[in-house]
Amino acid sequence: MNADTSPDIKIVPTPEALTFAAAEELRRHAERSVAERGRFLLALSGGSTPLPLYEKLGKCAVALPWKQTHLFWGDERDVPPEHEASNFGAVKRAMIDRMAAPPAGVHAIPATGSDAEATARAYERELRAFFELGPGELPRFDLVLLGLGGDGHTASLFPGHPSLDESDRLMVAPFIERFSAHRITATVPVLNAARAVLFLVDGEGKAEIVARVLAGPRVPHTLPAQLIRPAGGELTWICDRAAASRLPADVR
Ligand code: 6PG
């Protein structure tokens, strides 16, 4: 990525290795966050890539400090939690319902499928209250998990959408033409306020877009994932070998 903050790119052999490496990253950030601030504030991503990680966490196969951990979501589809497309619902099924002891907090985006704008504003109020934000302040997650769509979107920040330039709101509810549906998503300033951002990308099908985002020209309104560069935080990409297969050697 032609940017002033080049990400740390970790390439692992397989999707299984990606899940293991991601779990290690979560554990590292959780330990540091709890040691420094007494809690771990983790924003989860949707999509299919992180599901094995969520299942691993649900089996408590990863020693996270759940009693000090609060879960949030970076984006949500405008559907109720029981809907199969719900990002919260996917995490609930894969992880939360299987855990012996629940996290200290589960802060789902309260999507209903009937009013995405109201949902975005409700979540914004929840973030302002939880993080005790003053005017103009941003919530600072300890770690934000993100995926990468084949069109370069991340969270629900899609190419060419005005929401990419939103700088006042914490959460917005863009209408996404290709889905003929609304999404609810954190804005770029919120994602970039994180202490750490971790992209997880696997599969040959993502090789082209990974190379464009990380090694191609900087065209952030075409490739929104290029907008994510936490100003005072770590930026890490974990890709399996297939997803990284089109990266030039000097970027790896
Ligand atoms: C969502 C995600 C979205 C996802 C990418 C990659 O709500 O779908 O937030 O940004 O991370 O589309 O999805 P896959 O992991 O399924 O490829």
Side-chain angles (χ1 to χ4, degrees):
M1 177 167 65
N2 306 316
D4 50 2
T5 53
S6 58
D8 175 21
I9 301 172
K10 301 179 190 297
I11 300 173
V12 295
T14 63
E16 294 74 19
L18 181 144
T19 296
F20 183 84
E24 280 302 298
E25 279 291 287
L26 255 71
R27 198 185 46 72
R28 178 171 71 86
H29 285 290
E31 280 180 5
R32 184 171 70 183
S33 302
V34 169
E36 291 175 0
R37 290 175 297 281
R39 62 187 190 176
F40 179 42
L41 309 181
L42 171 61
L44 300 175
S45 85
S48 57
T49 303
L51 288 178
L53 172 63
Y54 299 153
E55 287 162 4
K56 190 180 181 77
L57 293 169
K59 293 171 189 163
C60 291
V62 185
L64 287 191
W66 292 113
K67 290 180 182 171
Q68 291 85 25
T69 297
H70 287 260
L71 300 179
F72 299 84
W73 275 257
D75 75 318
E76 187 55 276
R77 288 78 178 280
D78 187 25
V79 295
E82 61 275 8
H83 191 285
E84 62 177 7
S86 168
N87 287 338
F88 164 72
V91 172
K92 184 175 184 297
R93 290 186 296 273
M95 179 171 127
I96 299 169
D97 288 350
R98 300 179 179 180
M99 296 174 78
V106 178
H107 308 267
I109 295 175
T112 60
S114 60
D115 188 340
E117 178 61 21
T119 298
R121 292 197 179 277
Y123 203 60
E124 186 157 324
R125 286 192 298 274
E126 178 165 358
L127 292 177
R128 290 192 184 285
F130 181 86
F131 285 90
E132 299 176 344
L133 300 179
E137 292 183 332
L138 294 168
R140 194 158 199 218
F141 294 111
D142 293 312
L143 179 62
V144 173
L145 291 186
L146 290 174
L148 177 67
D151 60 355
H153 82 261
T154 191
S156 285
L157 298 164
F158 284 84
H161 199 283
S163 57
L164 299 180
D165 296 316
E166 176 57 55
S167 57
D168 297 326
R169 298 275 301 276
L170 305 183
M171 300 295 296
V172 291
F175 183 79
I176 309 302
E177 294 293 341
R178 63 188 278 199
F179 301 127
S180 297
H182 282 92
R183 291 280 188 97
I184 300 99
T185 186
T187 56
V188 172
V190 168
L191 299 177
N192 281 337
R195 288 187 172 84
V197 171
L198 175 59
F199 279 89
L200 302 178
V201 194
D202 69 7
E204 175 69 36
K206 294 284 178 71
E208 169 73 21
I209 194 63
V210 165
R212 288 180 60 201
V213 167
L214 292 179
R218 182 160 168 71
V219 283
H221 281 77
T222 303
L223 302 173
Q226 289 184 337
L227 289 166
I228 309 306
R229 300 181 293 169
E234 292 179 26
L235 176 58
T236 304
W237 286 64
I238 304 181
C239 301
D240 72 350
R241 195 171 289 143
S245 58
R246 303 282 290 271
L247 278 179
D250 64 334
V251 173
R252 291 166 174 257

